[in-house]
Amino acid sequence: MHRILWMLSGLSIIVVGAAAMLPPIAQPIEYHQFADQRNFLNIPNFYNVVSNLGFLFSGAAGWLFLLRAYHSPAQTAFRSKAEFLPYWILFFSVIASAFGSIFYHWVPDNDYLLWDRLPIAIGVTALLAATLVERVGAVLGLWLLPLLTASGIWSVLHWYWTEQAGAGNLNFYIVTQFYSILLIVLLSGLCQSCYTHANYIYQVIGLYAVAKLTEMLDMQIYHFTSQLISGHTIKHLLAAFAVYRIVRMLKIRAFLPESI
């Protein structure tokens, strides 16, 4: 276990160092030009706006489950009250992401994009902390939780500040989003979870990967479906479903005998 942690720590230093040294990646202005810009019921970009309700549903479902489990002495989803914390933050960030993304897609520009990206950064770092809690150790994961979430917030603010200064730099936000997910995959493959049904995380990551692919194919999917639905709208729905799979995992999991 110590060797794995040293290896991942070294890899993390290399990745963050590369983000600092590589040329900055600015936010492409065409990013805001989504394929489906139809208005309906006086709502601009209607389908990209309302599809964010999926995040609201999944985040609320997660919070309701946590509330019930927290007050239930018979729950098996967590070994201790402290282990709830990363998931409180995760599902709160999903709810916040619903509103942030609604605001952004209502008026797509960099100022509103800030409020879309902040919850994403918080959510993915909270999930990384939860993975550390369950596969490495509760003390380490909970100790790193505030550091990871703070670094995620900083990466978004750094992008926004550099964008406002006329030299946008997405490097650290890219690391926050994609390298955090890579670490979750590596930890899941290298370290055993203390809970059953832990392999649900692969479904979650797989759904999110497909969601990102549909985001990249936004215009192509929009034309392929004869302007029925765009890739970005599908991205919202798939990502929200990925979050709901986390809720499902928590509902059915239990302590492994050797971890009790």
Side-chain angles (χ1 to χ4, degrees), residues 49 80 102 113 219 221 230 258:
V49 168
S80 69
I102 285 172
L113 185 57
M219 185 66 73
I221 292 173
S230 71
E258 60 269 24

Side-chain angles (χ1 to χ4, degrees), residues 62-85:
W63 258 66
L64 286 173
F65 169 75
L66 292 179
L67 283 171
R68 295 192 188 102
Y70 193 83
H71 297 290
S72 171
Q75 66 86 22
T76 60
F78 299 94
R79 291 173 299 182
S80 69
K81 300 288 189 182
E83 290 190 20
F84 279 75
L85 185 56

Side-chain angles (χ1 to χ4, degrees), residues 130-166:
T131 304
L132 287 165
V133 167
E134 294 158 13
R135 294 182 181 270
V136 178
V139 173
L140 178 64
L142 293 172
W143 182 79
L144 286 176
L145 174 61
L147 298 177
L148 289 170
T149 53
S151 68
I153 292 169
W154 178 85
S155 72
V156 178
L157 293 178
H158 177 264
W159 158 72
Y160 183 72
W161 291 331
T162 56
E163 202 72 49
Q164 295 298 102

